[in-house]
Amino acid sequence: MEEGEATFNLIKSSVSRVFRYSGAKEYSRRYAVMNAFDGVVTILGIVLGSTLLGGSDPRDIVAAGVGALIAMGISGASGTYMAEKAEQERRLREIEDAMLVKLEDSVIAEAREWAAVISAAVDAGAAVLAGLISLAPYLLSLLNLISAGQAFTLSLTLSLGLLFSLGLFLGRVAKRNVIVSGLKSLAIGCVTILLITLLNLVL
Amino acid sequence: MSKHPPSLARLVLDILKPHVPDLIDFCRALSAVDGVRRVSAVVVEVDVETDTVKITIEGRDIDFEKVREKVKEMGAAVHSVDEVVFEQ
């Protein structure tokens, strides 16, 4: 138990040092919110699209949802890693130019390398986790714990709730009215629902 | 009567470092070097990307090479050694 706590504290202090030395804390926060949004809205789209357009079999929705989340996780992790690594290397070169020394063996270079890895993990993790929460009712439905109809309602509620929570979080980050921020983000979910419903009327 | 070799007891270094790691992390890292008992620092100049700091290191049998390695590891560079004290 104590060993677990010690490991957790070590990881926590290492991550905190990486953030302090690389300045990547706010980037990671940005990636987390942005990709959690992506995850939720993607699952919302799959759930609404397949239900409204007629294919409401939970098995299909889970397969499509998990497939989309895997793709999103891989694309998010690799894209963020490459982009963040390039940014961190550019910043390191700027400091090297000012210092007139090479910094490759320093704690700064090490922290900036880890910053890219952590940002990639946060990016992929946020999208997959948020998507899985929205998809969870359909997983319950697969286990015959709830009906497909209940899964649809619950999934929609969870997705909109998550969008609202992300908005609240962004409002807190920006130190502005959290409720307004939450409602703005909820509106994104409502626009998605509206567009997919319109698509259903056209098709 | 045996005579001990003189030991390095005090160093004053002129160091150029990036803004991060900050001075607290920087001095904490230096204080972990063998023989170091006390580290104090004064900022001399702040530039766009760098800080020039005067670091005073005191202790017994300070290993200068290890100090220099630690400075490099923290992403900084020793510009000059401004004061040295050896003790018997």
Side-chain angles (χ1 to χ4, degrees):
Chain A
M1 189 67 190
E2 269 181 18
E3 202 176 304
E5 201 176 317
T7 314
F8 175 74
N9 284 336
L10 183 71
I11 293 172
K12 199 175 148 194
S13 71
S14 304
V15 171
S16 148
R17 196 171 55 226
V18 165
F19 281 150
R20 264 186 296 136
Y21 291 0
S22 66
K25 190 175 184 176
E26 64 180 85
Y27 302 141
S28 290
R29 193 165 55 198
R30 210 172 296 163
Y31 288 132
V33 175
M34 203 167 74
N35 291 290
F37 247 101
D38 277 355
V40 174
V41 175
T42 303
I43 296 301
L44 188 65
I46 290 173
V47 167
L48 274 171
S50 46
T51 308
L52 291 176
L53 299 174
S56 60
D57 183 4
R59 193 177 298 272
D60 293 345
I61 293 176
V62 168
V66 170
L69 289 180
I70 290 174
M72 202 179 277
I74 292 172
S75 124
S78 53
T80 306
Y81 178 76
M82 287 189 288
E84 190 60 28
K85 193 170 161 60
E87 282 295 326
Q88 292 289 354
E89 280 178 357
R90 182 186 60 83
R91 193 67 198 102
L92 192 67
R93 295 289 99 79
E94 282 175 3
I95 301 173
E96 283 182 340
D97 288 346
M99 291 283 302
L100 301 175
V101 289
K102 285 276 166 210
L103 293 171
E104 60 226 352
D105 295 327
S106 69
V107 288
I108 307 171
E110 191 189 30
R112 287 183 180 274
E113 172 68 39
W114 273 105
V117 176
I118 292 175
S119 296
V122 165
D123 183 317
V128 172
L129 190 69
L132 276 180
I133 293 174
S134 297
L135 200 59
Y138 281 96
L139 294 168
L140 293 180
S141 171
L142 266 190
L143 297 171
N144 290 324
L145 293 173
I146 53 175
S147 72
Q150 286 171 323
F152 174 72
T153 318
L154 199 56
S155 171
L156 215 62
T157 314
L158 275 176
S159 297
L160 294 177
L162 263 177
L163 287 177
F164 185 68
S165 315
L166 285 169
L168 291 183
F169 176 70
L170 282 183
R172 220 189 72 181
V173 170
K175 294 193 172 74
R176 56 174 193 222
N177 191 329
V178 287
I179 300 293
V180 172
S181 170
L183 289 175
K184 273 186 194 167
S185 134
L186 190 62
I188 296 169
C190 294
V191 168
T192 314
I193 295 175
L194 189 71
L195 285 177
I196 296 173
T197 314
L198 285 177
L199 180 73
N200 180 42
L201 291 176
V202 173
L203 291 175
Chain B
M1 197 175 91
S2 70
K3 197 179 169 195
H4 292 293
S7 93
L8 183 54
R10 183 179 155 93
L11 270 173
V12 178
L13 306 173
D14 186 53
I15 283 174
L16 183 71
K17 64 177 274 302
H19 297 317
V20 283
D22 64 21
L23 203 51
I24 294 171
D25 279 349
F26 189 77
C27 290
R28 187 179 288 129
L30 283 180
S31 66
V33 174
D34 284 348
V36 175
R37 285 194 187 152
R38 187 183 148 94
V39 177
S40 58
V42 179
V43 176
V44 178
E45 196 182 331
V46 177
D47 228 315
V48 180
E49 298 279 8
T50 57
D51 298 328
T52 303
V53 291
K54 192 149 280 225
I55 305 264
T56 306
I57 298 170
E58 291 166 313
R60 178 126 194 99
D61 258 336
I62 301 167
D63 188 333
F64 178 61
E65 274 316 307
K66 283 193 179 157
V67 169
R68 188 144 67 176
E69 268 169 36
K70 187 55 88 177
V71 167
K72 196 176 164 204
E73 189 191 312
M74 296 301 281
V78 176
H79 266 191
S80 61
V81 180
D82 294 348
E83 190 186 324
V84 177
V85 175
F86 273 92
E87 276 177 353
Q88 200 63 56

